[in-house]
Amino acid sequence: MATPKRDTYTPETLLSVAVRVFNERGYDGTSMEHLSKAAGISKSSIYHHVAGKEELLRRAVSRALDGLFAILDEAGAQQGRAVERVEYVTRRTVEVLTAELPYVTLLLRVRGNTTTERWALERRREFDQRVAELLKAAVADGDLRADVDIRLATRLLFGMVNSLVEWYRPHTGPGGEADRAQLADTVVHLAFDGLRTAS
Amino acid sequence: MATPKRDTYTPETLLSVAVRVFNERGYDGTSMEHLSKAAGISKSSIYHHVAGKEELLRRAVSRALDGLFAILDEAGAQQGRAVERVEYVTRRTVEVLTAELPYVTLLLRVRGNTTTERWALERRREFDQRVAELLKAAVADGDLRADVDIRLATRLLFGMVNSLVEWYRPHTGPGGEADRAQLADTVVHLAFDGLRTAS
């Protein structure tokens, strides 16, 4: 007798399947039936793990949000001049984004139709706001140009960073780590050598 | 007797309704029924204008693509140093994007499921390629940093520019024009003061 597939499932593996399906079909376009087929387990097995697809969405976007917010508590984001802190946060955001690509992709595609989606949008705005405050402090220090609107600069900065989910494909195997570090370097160079006051 | 609404319809107005619905529901999620309801005309009236929804998609993305490609033929994109030409193209891309917002939004969301979508993706790549060549020429002139991978720089540049469709909302009424010009200025500053070799 074959061991039922579902025995190998954990909330973690179910989550990674759900995120893949959400990203492929869109959250609205995904039914429990789709998730059941993709995971190769019955709907009742899924309900054994979670209350429904919205719980899977909440867990998935939480993983992305926790990764992003954790950056703000790191030493590099807490100590030093504001300009160094904002560069650090930008670099680490690129790293978290590439490390947690499917989760952040899902987070960035959230639209706001459900309570969970509205909560996720609110948390994203909160993160952007924290970065905007750092940018503002760096302008006050005279390290970033005062002639750029902070709100606009924050949007363009995240526009550039977040675009990664559309075209970045993880480089697995040797060199992958160096690849991600080079990407983070390039983003920081592009963004800040532009924002920094001429020396 | 009320004049039937459809008499006021032209291919142009039908197109603008279709683009709105495609952007709201996604192209795949839009049926002729949805278009008929949104336009307030019968399906057969729509078929009087176009062969089907793919023709509407083709016309809509063509409008965006024609606007973008026309930039490359303008004097500012043809004459002068490569760095000035690429700055000009970036500024004008922002302007076309904000002027043709719903059409460019649709273009940027195209996925490649139909012939028209694959053609649109191909044309987008062609445009990006033309800009990448300008960037390369500016690097060869010594005006842009040689330590940045051109392909990566092009993607980040368009990542920043294209993010506008996610958050830019047209400022109508007086000041709208100035608003768009300021936006284009900021994008060019952010992108190029970072790319330009230190003077």
Side-chain angles (χ1 to χ4, degrees), chain A residues 22 46 79 93 112 118 122 143 145 152 195:
Chain A
F22 288 156
I46 297 182
Q79 295 157 9
T93 298
R118 283 187 293 272
E122 186 49 49
D143 290 326
R145 296 152 44 128
L152 185 51
L195 281 167

Side-chain angles (χ1 to χ4, degrees), chain A residues 23-26 109 111 145 147-149 152-153 155-161 163-164 167-168 182-183 186-187 189-195, chain B residues 23-26 109 111 145 147-149 152-153 155-161 163-164 167-168 182-183 186-187 189-195:
Chain A
N23 281 332
E24 278 167 14
R25 312 187 64 98
R109 290 186 184 163
R111 283 163 170 262
R145 296 152 44 128
D147 64 340
V148 172
D149 178 78
L152 185 51
R155 280 172 161 172
L156 291 171
L157 175 61
F158 281 113
M160 183 166 76
V161 170
S163 77
L164 265 70
W167 54 263
Y168 174 76
Q182 200 217 331
L183 179 64
T186 306
V187 170
H189 276 313
L190 265 183
F192 290 97
D193 296 347
L195 281 167
Chain B
N23 281 333
E24 278 167 12
R25 314 187 60 98
R109 289 186 184 163
R111 282 162 171 264
R145 295 151 45 128
D147 63 341
V148 172
D149 179 78
L152 185 52
R155 282 174 160 171
L156 290 171
L157 176 60
F158 280 113
M160 185 166 76
V161 169
S163 77
L164 265 70
W167 53 263
Y168 174 76
Q182 198 217 332
L183 180 62
T186 306
V187 170
H189 276 311
L190 264 186
F192 290 98
D193 296 343
L195 280 167

Side-chain angles (χ1 to χ4, degrees), chain B residues 5-75:
Chain B
K5 252 186 174 171
R6 67 181 175 199
D7 281 351
T8 64
Y9 263 86
T10 66
E12 192 67 15
T13 52
L14 176 59
L15 192 62
S16 88
V17 170
V19 168
R20 179 169 54 75
V21 181
F22 289 157
N23 281 333
E24 278 167 12
R25 314 187 60 98
Y27 176 69
D28 290 338
T30 303
S31 65
M32 286 300 274
E33 189 66 35
H34 293 132
L35 293 177
S36 154
K37 272 194 184 153
I41 58 177
S42 67
K43 279 195 268 184
S44 65
S45 299
I46 297 182
Y47 284 119
H48 175 73
H49 292 297
V50 292
K53 74 170 188 164
E54 195 169 344
E55 187 181 333
L56 286 164
L57 179 70
R58 191 181 53 73
R59 287 190 189 184
V61 297
S62 290
R63 177 160 155 172
L65 286 163
D66 289 350
L68 291 170
F69 275 93
I71 296 169
L72 302 174
D73 294 328
E74 291 169 5

Side-chain angles (χ1 to χ4, degrees), chain A residues 25-76:
Chain A
R25 312 187 64 98
Y27 175 69
D28 290 338
T30 302
S31 65
M32 286 300 275
E33 190 67 33
H34 294 132
L35 293 177
S36 153
K37 272 194 185 153
I41 57 176
S42 66
K43 280 197 267 183
S44 66
S45 299
I46 297 182
Y47 285 120
H48 174 73
H49 291 298
V50 292
K53 74 168 188 164
E54 195 169 344
E55 186 180 335
L56 286 164
L57 178 70
R58 190 181 53 74
R59 287 189 190 186
V61 297
S62 290
R63 179 162 153 170
L65 287 164
D66 289 349
L68 291 170
F69 275 93
I71 296 169
L72 302 175
D73 294 328
E74 292 170 4

Side-chain angles (χ1 to χ4, degrees), chain A residues 152 156, chain B residues 87 90-96 98 164 177-192:
Chain A
L152 185 51
L156 291 171
Chain B
E87 283 191 28
T90 304
R91 179 183 308 274
R92 291 285 296 125
T93 298
V94 173
E95 286 169 1
V96 167
T98 50
L164 265 70
E177 197 85 17
D179 201 54
R180 283 195 292 279
Q182 198 217 332
L183 180 62
D185 274 348
T186 306
V187 170
V188 170
H189 276 311
L190 264 186
F192 290 98

